[in-house]
Amino acid sequence: ANQERAKAAAQDFAGRLRALKGAKVLGPAPSFIARVRGRYRWNVFFKFKPDKDFSLQVRGIVAEFKKARGALMITDADPMSIA
């Protein structure tokens, strides 16, 4: 179902981030508001030291994921809330 596909995509994304040297990854975990307009939401938090090359790698993973998985992904460089 859609819920399982969303979970699998989040797990795959987190795994790709964990493969990057220097990344600290937390999650994936269901969002506090788990479903909005029929779409399931998952949170993956990651932290890394400011580094241009690392940022480019992360952007590449996000772009690839959006294209290959058709996933709606929202990135926030400095989240104030997790809802």
Side-chain angles (χ1 to χ4, degrees):
N2 287 341
Q3 184 176 12
E4 293 304 316
R5 284 186 19 223
K7 181 179 180 181
Q11 290 171 330
D12 189 23
F13 181 69
R16 296 283 305 274
L17 292 175
R18 283 186 181 97
L20 299 176
K21 185 177 179 183
K24 295 181 182 179
V25 181
L26 185 63
S31 179
F32 182 69
I33 301 171
R35 195 169 103 178
V36 175
R37 288 182 237 145
R39 288 183 166 263
Y40 289 91
R41 300 164 21 129
W42 286 78
N43 291 325
V44 176
F45 294 94
F46 59 98
K47 182 177 175 179
F48 60 92
K49 292 182 180 179
D51 179 288
K52 186 177 179 178
D53 290 335
F54 192 89
S55 294
L56 289 173
Q57 288 179 339
V58 170
R59 285 185 185 141
I61 292 171
V62 169
E64 180 183 320
F65 233 78
K66 285 181 178 180
K67 185 177 179 180
R69 291 271 193 160
L72 172 64
M73 297 183 72
I74 298 169
T75 56
D76 188 345
D78 193 15
M80 299 299 285
S81 170
I82 60 171

